[in-house]
Amino acid sequence: MKPTVVKIDNLVKRYGELVALDHFSLEIKEGEIFGLLGPNGSGKTTTINCLLSLLSFDKGEIEVFGREMTPTSYDIKREIGVIMQNVAVLDELSVRENIDYFCGLYIADKEKRKACVEDAIKFVGLEDFVNFRPKKLSGGLLRRLNIACGIAHKPKLIILDEPTVAVDPQSRNRILEGIQELNREGATVIYTSHYMEEVEQICTRIAIMDKGRKIAEGTKDELKGMIRNSESVSIEILELPDDVREKIAHLPHVYETEYDGTKLTVRCSGGRHNLIRILAVLQEAELGFGRVYSELPTLNDVFLEITGTALRDSKE
Ligand code: ADP
Ligand code: MG
């Protein structure tokens, strides 16, 4: 059994009347890339700020590396690398100086620090920009600098709060691959996002948050196993008589049909050959149809089934 790196127990955080975290608990083991997935306002950043003792809370307990986390737990904080949601770098310093500055908060030895800074520059791919001021960097490169500042001291626990928002696809991929690389090298990672695809791509375990509560937790396969939906079949079709739709709705494993005049969506719970059975009904009725595709459930379907609203609908 791997040691526990982070333990959050029954955390309650209020901002006045608003309950931002409502008895939120979490346990993260060494070696995980743990995803906190939830729409904007669900409480991800509040969780991170409480975890780092940057924010006081109303109730609950937090342990990091098996020790209680307090505002003065500097020995714990030294082992943590944080990449905040809002980029925090110094405008007057160059890329290299910024990384050196943040690394210097943890590593006093000059030679050792120099090696760490160069490693971090290479790691995020900023070799060509070391003398640039942050203002001259694109959004994606600025994010990479932010990450380099957070990881240069080689922390055991790395926390990234929505590091890919407003980032171009190239930097985004580089960031996601970088996180996996850091994890392979031994770091435990906490990754927050409202992008389900990213969380699905890199996280070993995921907690889905909504309105300050944890609504589900598990690996992506476990999460998908919790819901009824196991396949959605979509068919572009311009004419669909009610009796034909009825027939499809009564096929085995079908629990929901949706038709908007151009596309029929059929949601199925389990079972194979759903697509074949549905198409057979259409062929028997001699109806023409266009593109046909079948999709496996996403984390959005998990969110949708549990909360009744789509994760995608949240404001970007
Ligand atoms: P997320 O990071 O998932 O987008 P947050 O943790 O930032 O969510 O916010 C959770 C809830 O707490 C939201 O409803 C937000 O409006 C509220 N909130 C966050 N920070 C403050 C604050 N400093 N004062 C009052 N309300 C806040
Ligand atoms: Mg946030």
Side-chain angles (χ1 to χ4, degrees):
M1 192 77 165
K2 294 247 173 155
T4 298
V5 173
V6 170
K7 192 157 186 277
I8 298 176
D9 203 29
N10 263 314
L11 193 59
V12 176
K13 171 65 190 175
R14 292 194 184 88
Y15 293 110
E17 294 285 283
L18 181 95
V19 183
L21 292 175
D22 187 359
H23 296 88
F24 183 79
S25 299
L26 209 62
E27 193 172 334
I28 300 172
K29 299 272 183 208
E30 191 180 288
E32 293 198 84
I33 303 182
F34 194 92
L36 273 185
L37 174 68
N40 286 336
S42 55
K44 302 181 296 296
T45 299
T46 302
T47 303
I48 300 302
N49 287 340
C50 289
L51 173 62
L52 294 168
S53 259
L54 297 173
L55 198 60
S56 66
F57 41 91
D58 299 273
K59 207 183 131 188
E61 271 144 49
I62 298 178
E63 278 182 14
V64 181
F65 303 122
R67 284 167 288 166
E68 190 198 352
M69 185 69 178
T70 69
T72 53
S73 302
Y74 299 115
D75 51 338
I76 300 181
K77 290 187 179 182
R78 200 164 293 134
E79 306 285 357
I80 305 179
V82 190
I83 291 95
M84 291 289 189
Q85 183 166 3
N86 298 319
V87 173
V89 292
L90 301 166
D91 289 336
E92 315 78 59
L93 300 183
S94 69
V95 162
R96 181 183 273 124
E97 288 163 348
N98 257 293
I99 302 172
D100 185 64
Y101 173 79
F102 284 100
C103 192
L105 301 177
Y106 304 93
I107 299 177
D109 184 278
K110 256 192 171 168
E111 282 307 305
K112 203 170 156 206
R113 188 164 80 234
K114 197 164 174 231
C116 285
V117 170
E118 294 311 312
D119 279 357
I121 290 168
K122 266 197 225 102
F123 185 78
V124 296
L126 282 177
E127 294 97 329
D128 296 340
F129 304 92
V130 285
N131 295 320
F132 279 50
R133 294 285 178 88
K135 278 209 166 68
K136 300 270 176 206
L137 301 177
S138 68
L141 295 181
L142 192 60
R143 277 278 165 193
R144 293 199 220 169
L145 171 60
N146 201 35
I147 292 173
C149 292
I151 58 135
H153 62 294
K154 304 196 196 293
K156 285 201 276 195
L157 171 63
I158 300 171
I159 301 173
L160 302 107
D161 194 5
E162 309 235 27
T164 59
V165 170
V167 157
D168 58 284
Q170 193 199 345
S171 282
R172 178 175 175 269
N173 285 335
R174 175 118 204 173
I175 290 170
L176 293 179
E177 281 163 20
I179 292 168
Q180 288 177 302
E181 173 79 34
L182 290 167
N183 177 251
R184 274 194 296 273
E185 288 168 7
T188 304
V189 177
I190 302 179
Y191 184 83
T192 89
S193 181
H194 65 277
Y195 299 127
M196 55 167 184
E197 298 88 353
E198 292 184 357
V199 168
E200 210 170 297
Q201 188 182 333
I202 65 164
C203 294
T204 54
R205 223 149 52 84
I206 300 153
I208 304 184
M209 293 185 76
D210 187 41
K211 302 191 179 86
R213 286 191 303 257
K214 183 170 74 179
I215 60 165
E217 184 178 5
T219 64
K220 62 174 192 249
D221 291 332
E222 283 166 355
L223 288 169
K224 290 173 185 181
M226 287 174 195
I227 60 167
R228 192 161 48 151
N229 186 345
S230 68
E231 185 182 13
S232 293
V233 174
S234 298
I235 300 165
E236 288 173 358
I237 183 163
L238 296 172
E239 189 204 349
L240 183 69
D242 286 345
D243 62 314
V244 178
R245 182 172 166 185
E246 266 310 283
K247 230 177 186 171
I248 291 173
H250 284 96
L251 286 172
H253 308 298
V254 171
Y255 69 88
E256 193 173 68
T257 64
E258 207 179 290
Y259 183 56
D260 65 3
T262 61
K263 188 176 88 177
L264 168 70
T265 303
V266 184
R267 298 203 173 85
C268 309
S269 57
R272 294 162 132 208
H273 313 305
N274 294 316
L275 181 61
I276 294 171
R277 282 202 205 93
I278 295 163
L279 294 183
V281 173
L282 296 178
Q283 268 157 352
E284 192 190 290
E286 297 184 348
L287 292 168
F289 50 85
R291 206 157 67 97
V292 173
Y293 49 97
S294 154
E295 290 166 302
L296 298 172
T298 63
L299 292 178
N300 189 50
D301 294 305
V302 178
F303 194 82
L304 180 66
E305 265 199 44
I306 298 175
T307 66
T309 54
L311 189 56
R312 283 184 200 282
D313 284 351
S314 62
K315 274 188 238 111
E316 283 294 300

